[in-house]
Amino acid sequence: MSTASEKAISGGEEKAWRMKSETQGESNHMGELKRGQIILVTYLIATIELTFVFMQLGVMPYLAKSLGLDSVGFGYLQTTFGVLQLVGGPIFGRFADQFGTRAALILSCASGSVFFLLLSISTSIPILFLSRLPAVFMHGLPGAQKVITDLTAPSQRADALGKLGLCFGIGIIIGSALGGILSTKFGIFAPIYVGLVGSLINTMIAMVWIPSPAKSKSEHGETEHSNVFSIREILRLMKFPGVMEIFLVKVFSGFPIGLFLIMFSIISMDFFGLEAVESGYLMSYFGVLQMVVQGLVVGKLSKHCTERTLLRLSVLVFAGVGLGMALMRTVWHYCIIALPLVFAFSMLGTITDSILTKAVPSSDTGTMLGICASVQPLTRTVGPTIGGVLYKQFGVHSFGYLQLIVNIGLFVYLLKSKIPLREQKAH
């Protein structure tokens, strides 16, 4: 599809979205100012939830160790969390489509409250594993993406979704630092108590500030009588033009790097020779890069380039990152590679989410976002095993070579294929 054709479609979809908004009464009852306020509150909810998630991630190894859980048992604990998130993502998305984004965000925040409540009374290993169960519905980021998808015009979607990465960066920096400070000064359960109180406050914010969606009957009619847990309904979305192709690009392009990041705690000690404090500084550095790239760069580029171009660019940059990782020798090399790495991760995630939500009916965007959200839990589930074998048998540079080969193949595929990228949602 030519650039001129894509621009023509973009203009048509913008007009269609605005006509739809007026038909549903959004112009009268939820003007631009009102929509902007709701989006800002959504960013706040996502930031708070992500902050508490990263806060507990920092203290979880110490809590598990204090209860007598060894490294193998801790691996099982992390795998359990990943599997629950993997299974829960599409189900949460279906729930959002059928009951609305307000109900979905409340469910996510309330699940976070139950999660921290169980964690606060974890005095034995079985209760610690039990505390993982609410993770099935802890999907604040897809919930926030669903709100933004519903409230933004298609031409503004990539920019608005990209700014959620700013929330992610803030969550990494504040959550990691706050968890360390609270656990050091007040004990290992202090961050958990703070997370419990904060999650309850977040639930109240969602209940008060996020309104019920103004969807037409025709949109609800497609899903209101179907089962939230229907696998057939979830897989149905993969049959829409271009969805399966873009989703596979999303999965495979960042998979080798995902394996590297899962093994990073070991790599930072063995290969880079970093202490725990230095690893914390490196994590903060990543958080700052994430904020800058997602908050400033992604939005700017999405306004000036087509999504097809940005998709190809992110895959090409990912290939370059693979080459850099294959050649890196020191932590300083990795710090340099981190900039294009964060850019490619952020751009690919934002652009593929934007493309996929436009490729399915508006009544199914929540399910589609839930499916997208299952990519990282999938990597976390299978990653420790595959990453461990790669690192042990072939060394740290094997991740770079695999990243390079996979993304060169994907880049050639994207250049030659004619994947339909639909700017306008199907109805």
Side-chain angles (χ1 to χ4, degrees), residues 39 78 108 124 127 152 174 222 281 293 318 324 411:
I39 290 174
Q78 295 297 81
S108 177
S124 65
I127 299 178
T152 55
I174 297 179
E222 296 179 36
Y281 291 149
V293 171
F318 252 147
F411 183 70

Side-chain angles (χ1 to χ4, degrees), residues 297-407:
V297 180
V298 172
K300 297 284 186 183
L301 286 177
S302 66
K303 292 178 181 177
H304 295 92
C305 304
T306 64
E307 290 178 337
R308 188 184 300 274
T309 299
L310 293 177
L311 181 62
R312 291 170 177 170
L313 175 64
S314 59
V315 171
L316 182 61
V317 172
F318 252 147
V321 168
L323 179 61
M325 289 182 62
L327 300 175
M328 74 176 177
R329 295 292 181 270
T330 69
V331 69
W332 297 110
H333 293 161
Y334 183 59
C335 288
I336 296 172
I337 296 169
L339 182 56
L341 169 60
V342 171
F343 170 81
F345 246 132
S346 302
M347 182 61 74
L348 184 80
T350 300
I351 293 302
T352 52
D353 286 350
S354 179
I355 291 172
L356 290 170
T357 55
K358 294 172 186 176
V360 300
S362 57
S363 58
D364 290 316
T365 52
T367 307
M368 192 70 253
L369 287 168
I371 294 172
C372 292
S374 67
V375 173
Q376 287 189 0
L378 174 64
T379 306
R380 287 200 300 268
T381 301
V382 302
T385 302
I386 300 175
V389 171
L390 277 176
Y391 182 57
K392 185 177 181 180
Q393 298 295 329
F394 305 104
V396 70
H397 299 107
S398 62
F399 297 102
Y401 287 118
L402 183 60
Q403 179 75 14
L404 175 62
I405 293 169
V406 168
N407 281 276

Side-chain angles (χ1 to χ4, degrees), residues 140-216:
L141 197 57
Q145 290 174 324
K146 172 65 174 169
V147 174
I148 291 168
T149 299
D150 288 346
L151 295 182
T152 55
S155 63
Q156 300 170 333
R157 188 167 303 159
D159 184 23
L161 289 174
K163 286 185 171 61
L164 276 173
L166 189 63
C167 306
F168 195 87
I170 294 172
I172 292 178
I173 296 172
I174 297 179
S176 301
L178 193 59
I181 293 171
L182 290 174
S183 60
T184 301
K185 290 191 174 183
F186 305 104
I188 199 167
F189 281 97
I192 298 170
Y193 295 141
V194 171
L196 173 58
V197 174
S199 295
L200 289 171
I201 293 173
N202 221 18
T203 305
M204 295 301 298
I205 293 174
M207 292 175 68
V208 173
W209 288 98
I210 302 298
S212 298
K215 282 193 173 184
S216 64

